[in-house]
């Protein structure tokens, strides 16, 4: 499983609703040749205010505030198919291009 710290060292710890810290493994990490990283999470529409999603976002978002850092974090909220006009999807596509 990709959600196993024995198989990947790219994860974040976040404080969950139960008050304990848990490991969070993003769905994708895209690395560009110039050293920039895009951390991508895919979630179902309707989860925008979900406490677990917000706690995970908080655990990762601090990276964007580090000036010399080249990390960006995006959550794509989608139904079964991601529409081409989805703003978060467009951020990912623009980052890759």
């Amino acid at each position: 499983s990709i959600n196993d710290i024995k198989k990947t060292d790219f994860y974040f710890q976040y404080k969950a609703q139960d008050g304990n810290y848990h490991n969070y493994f993003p769905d994708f990490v895209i690395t560009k040749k110039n050293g920039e990283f895009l951390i991508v999470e895919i979630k179902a529409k309707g989860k925008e205010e979900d406490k677990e999603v917000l706690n995970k976002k908080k655990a990762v978002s601090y990276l964007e505030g580090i000036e010399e850092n080249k990390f960006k974090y995006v959550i794509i909220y989608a139904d079964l198919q991601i529409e081409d006009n989805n703003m978060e999807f467009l951020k990912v596509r623009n980052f890759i291009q």
Side-chain angles (χ1 to χ4, degrees):
S1 166
I2 194 164
N3 296 344
D4 182 349
I5 59 174
K6 294 176 186 172
K7 296 182 180 176
T8 181
D9 58 0
F10 196 86
Y11 65 95
F12 301 88
Q13 289 198 328
Y14 71 99
K15 191 170 186 178
Q17 289 177 285
D18 63 9
N20 295 314
Y21 284 89
H22 297 270
N23 294 332
Y24 163 49
F25 300 86
D27 292 326
F28 301 97
V29 178
I30 300 169
T31 307
K32 291 175 68 173
K33 290 180 183 179
N34 68 0
E36 291 180 329
F37 295 90
L38 183 65
I39 302 164
V40 182
E41 182 72 15
I42 310 291
K43 290 293 179 197
K45 279 188 181 176
K47 293 282 189 177
E48 292 85 352
E49 299 302 319
D50 182 87
K51 296 270 188 210
E52 285 299 289
V53 173
L54 295 175
N55 288 338
K56 291 175 181 180
K57 180 178 181 178
K58 182 179 177 184
V60 180
S61 293
Y62 77 93
L63 288 174
E64 294 180 324
I66 301 172
E67 187 174 320
E68 65 276 0
N69 211 327
K70 296 183 177 187
F71 285 90
K72 294 180 183 174
Y73 181 65
V74 174
I75 301 175
I76 298 174
Y77 295 98
D79 289 325
L80 294 176
Q81 181 177 344
I82 299 173
E83 300 295 328
D84 284 343
N85 63 351
N86 180 299
M87 291 304 296
E88 300 308 319
F89 172 74
L90 292 173
K91 288 180 188 177
V92 173
R93 189 171 66 190
N94 291 340
F95 177 85
I96 294 170
Q97 293 173 344

